[in-house]
Amino acid sequence: MRTIGLIGGLSWESTVIYYQIVNRRVRERLGGSHSADSLIWSVDYTTVEDLIFAGRWDEVAVLLTGAGRRLQDAGADVLLVCSNTFSRVSDDVARATSVPVLHIADAVGAEVRARGMRKVGLLGTRFTMEEPFYRDRLAAHGFDVIVPRREQRELVHRVIFDELVRGVLRESSRDAYTDIIAGLADDGAEGVVLGCTEIELLVGDKDTAIPVLPSARLHAEAAAAFALAG
């Protein structure tokens, strides 16, 4: 089994999802009491959050590539940046290390393509919804990506940073998200990418009329498959 290296703490609330999923998938595949060979480097979220709001992405890249190198030095055979927003520096991590880096948008894109969807909605931070680094990587898999209206994007973004990364789950926010997803469905979305790893703590398939595509789970499942293929 290959060793999985998780660059987490982005936030730790969703890093928990990664750890659960990779271990569950390994146990399902191998049976018994098996679990994944894995390493986690968890950063202080406030540090990187302050940097991205100040537009200091070069410093984010330095921090996360450093984490990637430490994981590689500790024996990781594959790396994941456990975030959609911070996947903006995934290519920097890949250039700074010599092991594969599984990109979260590729894990999601493969699932959308496997389901034969032609158009999907995208929820996430303002960075993820409005900047091309994530949307373009998704669209490169061969489908259209749409996002909510500006005021809805602001609401989604605010809930993520004021509530979800702090472990706060409010019914009113769930209702607001599901209304936004319904609007994306009206605009032709056949599914919705939960393009912030914390959103799947709040919203699931039972809450929506169209399928949700939970990015953290899909990314973690890709990591488990890679590890077991070794």
Side-chain angles (χ1 to χ4, degrees):
M1 187 192 314
R2 293 167 172 150
T3 299
I4 299 168
L6 302 174
I7 302 174
L10 303 166
S11 66
W12 72 260
E13 297 283 349
S14 61
T15 305
V16 171
I17 297 172
Y18 279 84
Y19 190 67
Q20 289 175 330
I21 293 296
V22 295
N23 284 295
R24 285 174 183 166
R25 294 296 175 263
V26 168
R27 185 172 60 191
E28 288 168 4
R29 172 79 173 274
L30 301 181
S33 301
H34 281 286
S35 57
D37 288 335
S38 60
L39 300 163
I40 300 174
W41 188 276
S42 188
V43 304
D44 178 0
Y45 189 71
T46 292
T47 300
V48 290
E49 183 182 60
D50 289 347
L51 289 174
I52 63 174
F53 277 100
R56 293 156 61 184
W57 283 98
D58 288 348
E59 293 175 59
V60 173
V62 169
L63 284 172
L64 299 193
T65 56
R69 284 193 294 265
R70 292 182 186 100
L71 289 168
Q72 177 181 275
D73 291 346
D77 299 304
V78 62
L79 299 173
L80 288 77
V81 176
C82 299
S83 168
N84 293 277
T85 297
F86 290 93
S87 71
R88 177 169 169 166
V89 301
S90 284
D91 289 342
D92 296 276
V93 176
R95 285 189 291 269
T97 55
S98 58
V99 297
V101 177
L102 301 185
H103 198 292
I104 191 168
D106 292 338
V108 174
E111 178 69 11
V112 174
R113 192 173 63 247
R115 295 193 188 199
M117 294 177 177
R118 294 164 297 178
K119 180 186 286 189
V120 297
L122 171 63
L123 299 185
T125 67
R126 185 189 308 125
F127 309 103
T128 301
M129 290 186 288
E130 297 181 357
E131 297 182 23
F133 71 91
Y134 192 86
R135 288 186 291 107
D136 288 358
R137 187 135 185 168
L138 276 182
H141 286 267
F143 50 84
D144 293 331
V145 181
I146 60 174
V147 297
R149 299 188 305 273
R150 178 176 295 277
E151 65 273 16
Q152 294 175 325
R153 296 198 301 270
E154 290 299 321
L155 183 150
V156 171
H157 180 88
R158 178 185 57 76
V159 167
I160 290 168
F161 285 104
D162 291 352
E163 300 173 23
L164 301 185
V165 300
R166 301 176 184 181
V168 176
L169 305 177
R170 292 182 176 148
E171 193 66 32
S172 59
S173 296
R174 179 180 292 108
D175 291 343
Y177 271 45
T178 55
D179 286 346
I180 292 169
I181 292 169
L184 291 169
D186 289 342
D187 290 337
E190 300 168 88
V192 60
V193 176
L194 305 184
C196 171
T197 53
E198 288 84 14
I199 294 177
E200 54 207 85
L201 297 169
L202 183 69
V203 176
D205 273 319
K206 67 181 183 349
D207 302 307
T208 62
I210 58 175
V212 300
L213 298 140
S215 57
R217 180 174 65 79
L218 294 170
H219 201 198
E221 288 176 346
F226 185 93
L228 290 168

